Amino acid sequence: MRGLPARRIASSVLCATVLIGIAGPAAVAADNDSAREHVRATSSAPVPNADALLTQVKGLGDIGSVLTPVTDLLNQVLKADNGQLSADQAQKLVDAVNEAVAKITAAVPAAPAVPATSALPATSALPALPAVPKSGDDSKAKAPADVVGDTLAALQKAVASLLTAVTSGDVSQVVPALTGVVTGLVNAVAATLLGGGLPAPSLPSTSSLPAVPGA
């Protein structure tokens, strides 16, 4: 009878060994899967402040989308005899500029709707508002999106003037129109940069920059 407990113990040890042999690799595999899932979740998480950085990148992309068609127009005019282009060629270049501007302005969120006047109390029941002092520069009170929209509209106006000049046959109209487009483009770029919340430039002081020829 003494051999029976010994066999039972040996059998129990054997079963435990078999279970450990089965469960051990499974537990290790489960731990490995958990570690891989953790690494995958960590690697797929967005970088800090991703939304703000994406807004800045979009602003830079907007600048590029306008720069290319405008500079194409300017290059074609400057290379043409007396700055004159055919009506079809000039219109095609101008259409490319307007299309680029339209894509940017279409992405700007619309202003919130104003409630219907019927829902407001009569003006006689409202307290009088103090007069608002007029500022010398109204653009300071505008939202960045409004400033960008205004500069893009001014750029389109300058491009339209250039279209007239390069198809007029009068070379004297071309240089002022070109200057207007360049100025409008610089303003649009500056407004887009300032309105997009981009970091301040880290340029050297102007005293260390080379002098502009002919300045």
Side-chain angles (χ1 to χ4, degrees):
M1 297 297 290
R2 294 179 180 177
L4 182 60
R7 284 197 295 269
R8 287 180 179 176
I9 294 172
S11 177
S12 299
V13 171
L14 178 61
C15 291
T17 303
V18 172
L19 290 175
I20 292 174
I22 295 174
V28 172
D31 290 341
N32 290 338
D33 290 342
S34 177
R36 282 194 293 268
E37 290 296 331
H38 178 71
V39 171
R40 187 180 299 111
T42 303
S43 61
S44 62
V47 299
N49 300 322
D51 291 340
L53 291 172
L54 285 172
T55 300
Q56 296 176 2
V57 172
K58 182 185 180 301
L60 293 173
D62 289 343
I63 294 174
S65 65
V66 174
L67 276 174
T68 299
V70 174
T71 53
D72 286 346
L73 171 62
L74 296 174
N75 283 328
Q76 292 296 324
V77 173
L78 290 169
K79 293 177 181 178
D81 291 338
N82 293 323
Q84 297 298 297
L85 301 174
S86 67
D88 291 341
Q89 183 183 9
Q91 188 63 58
K92 186 179 295 185
L93 292 167
V94 170
D95 288 344
V97 175
N98 292 332
E99 183 179 354
V101 172
K103 287 181 180 179
I104 297 176
T105 54
V108 177
V114 179
T117 54
S118 58
L120 298 176
T123 55
S124 59
L126 296 175
L129 296 176
V132 178
K134 294 184 178 180
S135 173
D137 186 4
D138 294 337
S139 63
K140 294 180 180 179
K142 293 182 179 180
D146 295 333
V147 176
V148 172
D150 290 346
T151 55
L152 290 175
L155 175 60
Q156 285 183 294
K157 185 177 180 181
V159 168
S161 298
L162 181 59
L163 173 62
T164 301
V166 299
T167 56
S168 65
D170 185 359
V171 67
S172 65
Q173 298 182 20
V174 176
V175 173
L178 284 171
T179 304
V181 172
V182 172
T183 302
L185 182 59
V186 171
N187 291 338
V189 169
T192 304
L193 289 173
L194 296 176
L198 291 166
S202 57
L203 296 174
S205 63
T206 54
S207 60
S208 62
L209 295 176
V212 178

